């Protein structure tokens, strides 16, 4: 029996790893275990519940206003004991979080093979996004198997000198997740509230945007909302108290905006599917929106998801108030611009990424 351990700790990692956990559990000859770091708490737990994944280990590292130092050192210290107890044949990590980086580093120290899911995304700007660009490049230098979502991601890895036989283009597991979450008979009280209006979905959390960039983003949105009576915005707000502080200050008394607790993943995907457009600095939403045909204004200076920009669904608008204001208004006023961006395209795979990854691992671990 070969042992595969999956390590993750934040909401987006869980959304993209839980379908893989469930796929691997169906494979004979593989013993699957899950270690969550608890980098996130409530936002992680709701995803585990939705996918019915019960971790064998939970490091529970989350602290209020945690720092990159505390996260990295707590995870490194705690995970060593778990790896010693379990002796996995391979550890799978996802993407670019501090959980993924710290777990991969621990594997390197203990000479445990690493499989990197969602490998090869790059901006090549080490502070944007911060610290994710560093994390994913560091993980690539450790990983033995690189599961790239797209050909472009594979090309990055090849150019960085990774051996072709270690890179597998599988699509993104988030498309697998989307296939199970979006339903035609979905109801939600916030959709009732927005009935008859154009619904805007807003999310924001990036570390490099905390402070003035986020204030500018929110001010732009507030200005636009004050000019349209047929537009309503829903803002499921990240649990980060720093985000909450800025949002309360700049959006607190905005009449046509509802600020609510984070949505569970089923609600989020279904509300995305019914929204008019999305404003976000999130990574995962940039992958989901093209296959739902929803235009996205990406409030960041860089993106590691150029496929969605090339497809026309994503527009990178930065974090300056006037620029966001102008682009947001244009999409509300200009129907042909809107329709150009609302094409449904899916650059991120056919929804069978988990099956492909499990097949490859099954074969490799024989
Ligand atoms: C983390 C990841 C980021 C990812 C994002 C997804 C790092 C460095 N950052 O950023 O790559 O895009 O998750 O959302 O790995 N909090 C709660 N409850 C929760 C979750 C968070 O209270 O369920 C609060 C805590 O006070 C915590 C703070 O949010 O200290 C920030 O969480 P953290 O994981 O450090 O940063 P994120 O911005 O969530
Ligand atoms: N999401 C969610 N509830 C919310 C907001 C987002 O379930 O209230 C989902 C979203 O659909 C996507 C993922 O969370 O799958 C993105 O996570 P986040 O923006 O926190 O992180 P990132 O993708 O930027 O790393």
């Amino acid at each position: 029996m070969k042992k595969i351990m999956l390590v993750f700790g934040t909401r987006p990692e869980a959304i993209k790893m839980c379908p893989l956990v469930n796929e691997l559990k169906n494979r004979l000859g593989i013993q699957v275990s899950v270690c969550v770091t608890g980098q996130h708490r409530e936002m992680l737990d709701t995803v585990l519940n939705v996918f019915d994944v019960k971790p064998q280990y939970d490091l529970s590292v989350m602290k209020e206003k945690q720092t990159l130092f505390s996260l990295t050192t707590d995870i490194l210290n705690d995970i060593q004991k778990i790896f010693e107890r379990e002796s996995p044949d391979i550890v799978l990590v996802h993407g670019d979080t501090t959980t993924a980086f710290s777990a991969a580093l621990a594997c390197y120290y203990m000479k445990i093979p690493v499989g990197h899911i969602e490998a090869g995304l790059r901006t090549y700007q080490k502070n944007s996004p911060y610290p994710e660009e560093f994390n994913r490049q560091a993980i690539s230098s450790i990983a033995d198997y690189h599961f790239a979502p797209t050909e472009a991601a594979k090309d990055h890895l090849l150019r960085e000198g990774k051996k072709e036989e270690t890179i597998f283009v599988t699509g993104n597991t988030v498309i697998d997740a989307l296939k199970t979450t979006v339903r035609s008979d979905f109801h939600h009280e916030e959709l009732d509230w927005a009935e008859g209006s154009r619904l805007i979905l807003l999310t924001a959390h990036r570390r490099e945007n905390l402070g003035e960039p986020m204030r500018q983003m929110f001010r732009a949105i507030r200005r636009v909302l004050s000019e349209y009576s047929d537009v309503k915005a829903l803002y499921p707000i990240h649990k980060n108290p720093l985000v909450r502080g800025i949002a309360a200050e700049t959006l607190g008394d905005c009449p046509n905006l509802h600020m609510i607790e984070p949505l569970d993943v089923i609600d989020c995907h279904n509300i995305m599917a019914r929204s008019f457009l999305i404003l976000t600095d999130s990574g995962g939403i940039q992958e989901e929106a093209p296959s739902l045909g929803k235009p996205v204004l990406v409030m960041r200076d860089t993106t590691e998801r150029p496929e969605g920009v090339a497809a026309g669904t994503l527009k990178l608008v930065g974090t300056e108030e006037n620029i966001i204001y102008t682009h947001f208004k244009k999409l509300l006023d200009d129907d042909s611009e809107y329709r150009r961006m609302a094409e449904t395209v899916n650059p991120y795979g056919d929804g069978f990424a988990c099956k492909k990854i499990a097949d490859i691992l099954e074969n490799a671990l024989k």
Side-chain angles (χ1 to χ4, degrees):
M1 199 63 128
K2 296 292 181 180
K3 292 186 182 174
I4 300 184
M5 179 177 266
L6 296 92
V7 181
F8 50 91
T10 64
R11 167 174 67 191
E13 293 170 279
I15 292 171
K16 293 162 166 182
M17 288 289 254
C18 285
L20 181 57
V21 171
N22 289 332
E23 176 68 37
L24 286 166
K25 272 193 205 149
N26 290 329
R27 305 295 173 119
L28 297 173
I30 289 179
Q31 186 187 313
V32 185
S33 61
V34 172
C35 170
V36 293
T37 61
Q39 174 175 339
H40 283 174
R41 190 69 280 161
E42 306 87 334
M43 287 165 52
L44 169 71
D45 293 344
T46 57
V47 183
L48 294 172
N49 285 338
V50 164
F51 289 97
D52 196 25
V53 167
K54 297 183 177 59
Q56 282 64 43
Y57 299 98
D58 188 338
L59 308 184
S60 297
V61 298
M62 196 190 84
K63 299 187 180 97
E64 195 175 301
K65 298 188 187 170
Q66 61 207 6
T67 66
L68 299 177
F69 285 93
S70 70
L71 267 177
T72 308
T73 52
D74 288 353
I75 295 168
L76 263 183
N77 284 331
D78 293 354
I79 214 161
Q80 181 184 2
K81 300 173 205 80
I82 299 193
F83 287 167
E84 280 167 358
R85 187 172 329 153
E86 280 281 319
S87 307
D89 293 293
I90 187 167
V91 166
L92 303 182
V93 298
H94 183 280
D96 51 23
T97 65
T98 295
T99 284
F101 163 65
S102 308
L105 183 59
C107 288
Y108 173 69
Y109 289 159
M110 296 178 71
K111 298 200 160 57
I112 300 168
V114 172
H116 187 197
I117 316 296
E118 199 179 276
L121 277 64
R122 296 289 185 267
T123 63
Y124 291 113
Q125 298 195 35
K126 78 174 175 193
N127 293 326
S128 182
Y130 172 88
E132 291 83 1
E133 180 66 15
F134 163 77
N135 286 342
R136 56 192 170 220
Q137 290 198 30
I139 297 167
S140 291
S141 69
I142 292 171
D144 304 277
Y145 299 88
H146 310 269
F147 297 102
T150 63
E151 289 294 336
K154 176 178 176 177
D155 286 346
H156 295 143
L157 294 162
L158 285 174
R159 272 189 267 130
E160 290 167 21
K162 308 291 175 273
K163 293 200 178 76
E164 179 142 29
E165 60 273 22
T166 65
I167 309 169
F168 305 90
V169 177
T170 59
N172 196 306
T173 59
V174 80
I175 304 300
D176 302 30
L178 262 186
K179 282 201 314 194
T180 66
T181 50
V182 178
R183 293 160 192 175
S184 56
D185 62 343
F186 177 80
H187 298 283
H188 196 282
E189 60 187 17
E190 296 297 343
L191 292 177
D192 296 340
W193 166 70
E195 180 77 43
S197 297
R198 292 183 281 178
L199 178 64
I200 312 300
L201 184 69
L202 164 64
T203 82
H205 71 80
R206 297 238 82 78
R207 252 185 170 73
E208 70 273 16
N209 287 344
L210 294 172
E212 189 51 25
M214 203 169 275
R215 258 182 222 106
Q216 295 218 19
M217 284 155 54
F218 292 161
R219 278 202 295 262
I221 291 160
R222 189 191 173 94
R223 270 171 64 196
V224 175
L225 290 178
S226 71
E227 293 175 23
Y228 292 80
S229 56
D230 70 327
V231 172
K232 285 187 172 160
L234 186 62
Y235 179 13
I237 188 163
H238 193 287
K239 284 277 185 190
N240 188 338
L242 299 172
V243 176
R244 289 186 171 215
I246 299 165
E249 209 181 278
T250 40
L251 291 171
D253 54 352
C254 191
N256 42 349
L257 178 137
H258 269 187
M259 224 184 288
I260 57 168
E261 285 301 315
L263 291 162
D264 81 31
V265 58
I266 292 178
D267 289 350
C268 189
H269 286 174
N270 280 283
I271 288 175
M272 278 175 73
R274 288 157 182 82
S275 61
F276 180 74
L277 73 91
I278 301 166
L279 287 103
T280 191
D281 64 6
S282 160
I285 288 178
Q286 294 178 57
E287 293 154 348
E288 294 160 348
S291 64
L292 296 170
K294 298 299 167 182
V296 182
L297 297 179
V298 182
M299 299 181 293
R300 295 173 47 179
D301 296 327
T302 58
T303 182
E304 57 294 275
R305 273 98 177 170
E307 299 86 354
V309 178
T313 323
L314 313 180
K315 189 170 278 176
L316 204 56
V317 296
T319 56
E320 276 178 42
E321 178 178 340
N322 285 335
I323 296 176
I324 296 172
Y325 172 83
T326 307
H327 284 287
F328 187 3
K329 270 181 77 77
K330 187 165 176 62
L331 272 178
L332 292 173
D333 293 340
D334 183 340
D335 190 47
S336 62
E337 169 76 359
Y338 179 85
R339 275 190 280 111
R340 237 189 337 270
M341 286 183 74
E343 293 278 308
T344 304
V345 284
N346 183 359
Y348 296 110
D350 55 8
F352 290 98
C354 294
K355 182 181 179 310
K356 289 175 198 158
I357 295 166
D359 287 349
I360 293 158
L361 288 170
E362 215 170 31
N363 197 35
L365 294 175
K366 260 184 198 150

